[in-house]
Amino acid sequence: MTHYLHRGDLPDGLSFGSAVAVDSETMGLRLGRDGLCVVQLSAGDGDAHLVQLERNTYDAPNLKALLTDPKVLKIFHFGRFDIAMFLHHLDVVTTPVYCTKIASKLARTYTDRHGLKDVCRELAGIDLSKAQQSSDWGADTLSPEQQAYAASDVLYLHVVRERLDAMLAREGRTELAQACFDFLPARAELDLAGWEDIDIFAHS
Ligand code: MN
């Protein structure tokens, strides 16, 4: 079931357990230019909560509390972008985090296909539609198609994470993955501060 929250924040008292899948939809992919429109969340129970943000204020105390709650792991796919968006617009450092794209790159070295669609197809047996990916997320009201698309981006991340965790353990890369996840908030800050296209670890 999809819960569409038009009011700009999560309702009081809503719990997502120890790990919440998170994604966001924005006006575009450019940090600093493009607004953050929607944040999607799921506890991995088949329900998705879509928070359409009030873009004049970004006043969303319950959402911000969840993103910074040290007891709740935030599971992303390519969290680098969402975490930078949250830092810029919501002024929060999202932590602790897990990124299924990084985990996939470290575990699935037999392929270079690490998009959410590819990962979900192989690890969760789900065929995601990307038809609404480039729609207008700044609209006053999200269409049923947009809501379904936004929800689908968080519904399977728990399952994907479980599979990837098993693969990481098998390949002896659990700790390396954790170190990468721990670096993500700093990577996002670098992106916002002007190092977006620079590999800070590269020789030149
Ligand atoms: Mn998405």
Side-chain angles (χ1 to χ4, degrees), residues 23-25 40 149 153:
D23 184 37
S24 66
E25 304 301 334
Q40 308 97 281
Y149 167 80
D153 274 356

Side-chain angles (χ1 to χ4, degrees), residues 22-26 38 40 77 82 116 130 133 137 149-154:
V22 186
D23 184 37
S24 66
E25 304 301 334
T26 63
V38 185
Q40 308 97 281
H77 188 78
D82 305 282
L116 182 62
K130 282 281 157 191
Q133 191 163 33
W137 294 103
Y149 167 80
S152 71
D153 274 356
V154 289

